[in-house]
Amino acid sequence: MLNPSVRAAQALAAAYTHTHPSRPLDGKGYAETAEANLLEGVRLEDFRQDFEQGDGNELEGKFLAAHSSSAFAANCFGPFKTRPEELELVGKGGFTKLGFERKCPTGLRGKSPNLDLVAQTDDQIIAVESKCTEYLTSHEARFADAYSEKILDDRRDGPWFAEMERLKQDPRGYVHLDAAQLIKHAFGLAYTFPGQKVMLLYLYWEPANPEADPAFARHQAEIEAFAERTSEGFPRFASLSYPALWKSWNNREGPDWLRAHVANLQARYLVEI
């Protein structure tokens, strides 16, 4: 049997082909253009500038994959870009601004971490790290020496820093969860938004049948362990699956267009492997 990462990518490519029969994918599961990878009602012009300011030239590279996590986030949240007040996320609403590929400097030299989405209210920031199939491959935690040597402010005394130091001794402590990336995001958020209410939300894809492979249960267990180790930290950590997010949207009295948008998301991404 193929590994779950390959099976997931194939299922997502098949769903893309089914929902966009006139838009071909290449042999690696990539669309021809960024626009071709977007759902009905999602407009690239609403957020193109955000992506062009980010690192990695996403719109001409990874974004084109049917299993792209950045395209996934854009497809999910793109319609809210021009109407952020209609978004509800982990029980929070009243957003005034949404930004994709938001750079949050850590105060160290080098590239700043890019958050897939940053949603802001008058009194809170929710930063999203979006995952599609990436966690179905193994990860090893790596940190430049500067993280230990140059972070000398309040971040040094918190659980995020302690978890980094633990992972430097046990870099394979998580198999599926990219904990190093989350820790770097947390350092960037703490440096960029000091003294504010900030949440780092880990938002991840799951298939319609997660019981089909034990990797999904292992991933869940790692999320829970990580959440416990970083509890009481700044920023606050939370996690949610995309299917659970869509269910919450269907259960609310939202705008008229939202149910159709959720149906499009489910047709494209809620696949079995």
Side-chain angles (χ1 to χ4, degrees), residues 77-145:
F77 296 108
F80 295 103
K81 175 68 173 174
T82 57
R83 43 194 170 188
E85 70 282 355
E86 296 184 0
L87 174 64
E88 187 171 291
L89 197 56
V90 289
K92 189 72 173 177
F95 294 101
T96 57
K97 183 179 180 181
L98 297 181
F100 292 92
E101 293 295 307
R102 172 68 184 270
K103 293 183 180 181
C104 292
T106 61
L108 307 176
R109 296 181 63 182
K111 289 185 177 181
S112 300
N114 282 32
L115 275 300
D116 289 301
L117 179 78
V118 173
Q120 297 177 246
T121 71
D122 291 338
D123 65 352
Q124 182 168 325
I125 290 127
I126 298 180
V128 173
E129 174 56 30
S130 171
K131 292 296 180 191
C132 195
T133 63
E134 297 95 332
Y135 67 85
L136 295 174
T137 57
S138 61
H139 292 85
E140 181 175 344
R142 296 178 181 273
F143 299 91
D145 291 341

Side-chain angles (χ1 to χ4, degrees), residues 7 10 55 74 85-86 132 150 176-177 182 244 264 268:
R7 287 154 56 201
Q10 290 179 343
D55 294 322
E85 70 282 355
E86 296 184 0
C132 195
K150 302 295 184 181
H176 299 288
L177 187 71
L182 290 171
N264 288 338
R268 171 74 186 274

